[in-house]
């Protein structure tokens, strides 16, 4: 953004002057945190409205007499909190998704709560399953995208392969071989528009209406919904610390033709499926001529030791379809996932993919393919693993500090959320309702069960908590919402 535009931005806001953000150097609080606090206040008080541009980091830094990196840090944090939205070359704006506030006088008291966000847009605090959007390498992404757009050929504008863009399929196969122990050829990889599309493809290619499908209890609700929508009979099977209880499943629905499981990191309890259960499940599938979908949605994120090899890596009998997604390792706005099918199923799945759609947008697939092939993906995952481990500790520490003995925080080997079990604060659904009313998107564990028998707790995403100070602020807000005095 150039200087002229910056000045225009500041003056269009009328009441707002950049010097209101000037940090106080006599205070011990870091300068960037003071800027974060002041900008947040300005937005909450309506001095900066949704959609308004804020000055470039360079300009604001020079007006405030601070380093540009200080302003960039502040902008990064506010973007992570959903107040600001970086739009690359077009500059940074106040998130247009924030509800409008009445303009207020600059000297009005500081409101205590962040805004309630619309469901689509920047992730609200504790939202589950969203990667750290503030840490996504947007500049690099923009460069790769621009390069692809500049090089557009006639062929790029034609219909693509419904099974996916060939170089991306190659890159996924290479990645899975090295990182997840899954040996497959590019022809076995189908690029889809997300987990739901992968499940729909499996159902259409391999199953018949009224076939029974085992799903985990508790589980990921969209899995149940999609399978039901595809005309299957869904059978919920309880999970314990070893994963899906295969013997129980066989009693409940001996003729099932499909099992959908999350072996690396059970959704939402976080357990890894034991080797004994993995082998038991594979033996069942072989014997029953049934299929297993391995939903490996966040298997990359383990904070102790290496990521576990996929169940697919043990599949000597070609019964496992491996479902991965870019929603967790890149971002969900891409709407790209993939399904790896056993070699003998390539023909049926190719046909089903061609009937279902024209495939996914070629441009997005090409950018992801470059991102993988040029080594950025592996680096990004490594960085995110370290970042999430830190952010998880920040949240766990603040919960422990704020609630003391009244909370038990469950941290498993990996994942993007933790489970907090509270004593004496009511049911988890009531707690989740109170938290949501305060703009905090904690979810009730019991809602992940289809049946009545349910464990309780709050599921809390930590990936978008940008700092210890933010963790402190959000947990204090949660305590205010939950603890009725
Ligand atoms: C258990 C589970 N599977 C799969 C997905 C990924 O879904 P998608 O590719 O549709 O974003 C998620 C996302 O939250 C999930 O929690």
């Amino acid at each position: 953004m150039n200087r002229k535009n910056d000045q225009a931005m500041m003056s269009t806001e009328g009441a707002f002057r950049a010097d209101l953000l000037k940090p106080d150097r006599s205070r011990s609080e870091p300068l960037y945190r003071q800027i974060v606090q002041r900008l947040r206040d300005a937005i909450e008080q309506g001095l900066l409205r949704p959609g308004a541009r804020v000055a470039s980091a360079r300009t604001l830094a020079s007006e405030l007499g601070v380093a540009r990196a200080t302003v960039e840090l502040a902008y990064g944090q506010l973007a992570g909190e959903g107040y600001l939205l970086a739009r690359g070359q077009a500059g940074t704006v106040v998130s247009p998704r924030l509800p409008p506030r009445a303009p207020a006088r600059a000297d009005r008291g500081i409101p205590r709560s962040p805004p309630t966000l619309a469901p689509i847009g920047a992730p609200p605090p504790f939202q589950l399953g969203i990667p750290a959007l503030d840490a996504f390498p947007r500049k690099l992404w923009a460069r790769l995208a621009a390069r692809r757009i500049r090089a557009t050929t006639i062929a790029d504008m034609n219909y693509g392969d419904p099974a996916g863009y060939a170089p991306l399929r190659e890159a996924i196969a290479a990645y899975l071989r090295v990182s997840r122990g899954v040996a497959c050829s590019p022809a076995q990889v189908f690029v889809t528009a997300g987990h739901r599309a992968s499940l729909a493809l499996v159902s259409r290619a391999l199953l018949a209406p009224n076939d029974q499908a085992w799903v985990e209890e508790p589980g990921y609700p969209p899995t149940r919904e999609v399978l039901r929508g595809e005309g299957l009979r869904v059978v919920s099977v309880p999970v314990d610390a070893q994963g899906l209880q295969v013997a129980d499943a066989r009693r409940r629905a001996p003729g099932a033709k499909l099992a959908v499981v999350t072996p690396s990191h059970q959704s939402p309890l976080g357990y890894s499926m034991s080797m004994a259960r993995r082998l038991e499940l594979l033996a069942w599938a072989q014997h029953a001529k049934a299929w297993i979908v391995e939903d490996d949605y966040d298997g990359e994120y383990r904070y102790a030791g290496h990521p576990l090899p996929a169940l697919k890596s043990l599949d000597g009998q070609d019964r496992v379809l491996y479902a991965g997604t870019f929603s967790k390792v890149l971002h969900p706005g891409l709407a790209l996932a993939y399904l790896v099918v056993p070699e003998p199923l390539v023909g049926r799945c190719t046909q089903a993919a061609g009937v279902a759609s024209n495939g996914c947008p070629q441009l997005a697939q090409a950018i992801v393919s470059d991102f993988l092939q040029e080594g950025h993906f592996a680096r990004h995952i490594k960085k995110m693993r370290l970042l999430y481990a830190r952010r998880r500790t920040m949240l766990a520490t603040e919960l422990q500090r704020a609630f003391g003995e009244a909370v038990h925080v469950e941290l498993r080997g990996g994942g993007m959320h933790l489970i907090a079990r509270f004593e004496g604060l009511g049911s988890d659904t009531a707690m989740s309702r109170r938290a949501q009313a305060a703009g905090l998107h904690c979810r009730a564990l019991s809602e992940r069960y289809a049946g009545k028998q349910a464990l309780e707790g709050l599921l809390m995403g930590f990936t978008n908590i940008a700092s210890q100070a933010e963790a402190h602020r959000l947990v204090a807000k949660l305590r205010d919402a939950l603890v009725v005095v």
Side-chain angles (χ1 to χ4, degrees):
M1 206 190 328
N2 63 35
R3 217 184 147 77
K4 204 166 140 212
N5 282 346
D6 283 356
Q7 281 166 348
M9 172 283 295
M10 289 297 180
S11 57
T12 54
E13 289 313 309
F16 184 71
R17 297 188 332 266
D19 61 3
L20 292 174
L21 302 175
K22 209 166 184 68
D24 177 355
R25 287 184 183 272
S26 66
R27 286 170 53 192
S28 61
E29 193 181 10
L31 299 181
Y32 90 91
R33 272 210 226 138
Q34 296 186 41
I35 297 171
V36 164
Q37 185 65 49
R38 282 162 206 218
L39 255 174
R40 202 192 277 130
D41 292 346
I43 294 169
E44 289 184 348
Q45 291 170 10
L47 298 174
L48 281 170
R49 309 265 191 94
R53 275 214 275 188
V54 297
S56 70
R58 183 175 48 81
T59 305
L60 188 58
S62 106
E63 291 200 16
L64 301 181
V66 300
R68 178 171 163 179
T70 305
V71 177
E72 281 171 349
L73 205 57
Y75 280 7
Q77 172 158 341
L78 287 165
E81 291 176 15
Y83 286 89
L84 295 182
L85 185 65
R87 290 192 157 156
Q89 295 286 31
T92 299
V93 295
V94 177
S95 173
R97 294 272 170 195
L98 294 173
R101 308 257 144 177
R105 287 177 39 208
D107 60 356
R108 210 171 75 176
I110 300 167
R112 292 281 152 228
S113 52
T116 308
L117 295 166
I120 296 173
F126 305 131
Q127 171 89 31
L128 293 173
I130 308 288
L133 301 183
D134 60 325
F136 188 77
R138 286 192 297 267
K139 270 194 189 141
L140 166 65
W141 189 265
R143 215 173 58 231
L144 298 181
R147 194 176 69 192
R148 274 288 175 176
I149 290 170
R150 276 198 304 272
T152 303
T153 64
I154 297 277
D156 294 331
M157 297 189 287
N158 199 352
Y159 284 109
D161 184 340
Y165 178 68
L168 178 58
R169 298 169 81 190
E170 277 165 33
I172 293 171
Y175 163 72
L176 292 178
R177 205 169 305 128
V178 174
S179 301
R180 310 295 297 123
V182 174
C184 63
S185 70
Q188 291 171 254
V189 179
F190 289 75
V191 179
T192 71
H195 176 65
R196 293 167 175 83
S198 295
L199 281 183
L201 178 59
V202 174
S203 309
R204 288 170 197 174
L206 307 178
L207 299 160
N210 286 323
D211 276 353
Q212 286 182 312
W214 298 346
V215 299
E216 296 171 326
E217 168 86 331
Y220 179 55
T223 296
R224 286 190 197 119
E225 288 151 18
V226 171
L227 297 179
R228 264 201 207 110
E230 292 296 322
L232 303 180
R233 282 181 294 151
V234 174
V235 180
S236 297
V237 178
V239 162
D240 63 15
Q242 291 198 61
L244 184 106
Q245 301 191 42
V246 180
D248 190 5
R250 295 176 75 150
R251 275 193 298 278
R252 286 169 192 255
K257 289 284 169 237
L258 176 73
V260 183
V261 288
T262 50
S264 297
H265 182 246
Q266 203 277 330
S267 170
L269 294 177
Y271 297 118
S272 310
M273 189 183 269
S274 69
M275 184 54 81
R277 285 281 167 79
R278 288 173 189 235
L279 297 175
E280 201 183 348
L281 186 64
L282 289 168
W284 160 76
Q286 188 192 347
H287 183 259
K289 301 259 173 296
W291 306 110
I292 299 167
V293 170
E294 173 176 22
D295 176 6
D296 198 25
Y297 64 109
D298 72 354
E300 285 88 353
Y301 295 133
R302 279 193 74 77
Y303 308 120
H306 290 289
L308 300 173
L311 172 68
K312 177 71 189 161
S313 67
L314 301 171
D315 179 29
Q317 303 294 327
D318 280 347
R319 307 310 310 180
V320 179
L321 295 96
Y322 176 93
T325 178
F326 288 113
S327 292
K328 314 289 159 184
V329 279
L330 292 177
H331 62 78
L334 272 173
L336 284 178
Y338 51 92
L339 182 73
V340 178
V341 310
E343 231 281 312
L345 301 182
V346 167
R348 284 154 83 176
C349 290
T350 305
Q351 201 190 9
V355 170
S357 82
N358 292 333
C360 298
Q362 301 245 68
L363 178 60
Q365 293 190 72
I367 301 166
V368 174
S369 140
D370 292 345
F371 197 81
L372 265 74
Q373 286 183 356
E374 292 172 22
H376 307 301
F377 191 59
R379 271 195 297 278
H380 181 58
I381 291 177
K382 200 165 153 200
K383 252 170 80 183
M384 290 307 99
R385 216 177 271 143
L386 293 172
L387 181 71
Y388 294 171
R390 280 204 304 277
R391 291 185 172 183
R392 183 169 87 146
T393 305
M394 285 174 192
L395 177 56
T397 312
E398 292 302 332
L399 282 169
Q400 218 71 68
R401 241 184 236 155
F403 291 92
E405 305 247 295
V407 72
H408 174 66
V409 178
E410 289 189 5
L411 300 180
R412 306 258 188 256
M416 300 164 76
H417 69 265
L418 56 76
I419 303 179
R421 295 178 192 279
F422 294 89
E423 293 272 326
L425 294 178
S427 72
D428 65 350
T429 45
M431 278 193 290
S432 137
R433 265 199 308 277
R434 290 206 293 272
Q436 304 240 357
L440 306 171
H441 283 233
C442 313
R443 294 279 164 188
L445 172 58
S446 64
E447 284 173 354
R448 293 301 191 91
Y449 288 76
K452 290 212 172 76
Q453 288 272 342
L455 293 175
E456 295 202 10
L458 287 186
L459 306 174
M460 303 175 72
F462 50 74
T463 43
N464 279 284
I465 297 177
S467 64
Q468 192 76 48
E470 193 191 341
H472 180 79
R473 188 174 66 79
L474 292 173
V475 169
K477 199 165 170 201
L478 180 67
R479 196 189 45 205
D480 288 348
L482 298 186
V483 180
V484 184
V485 276

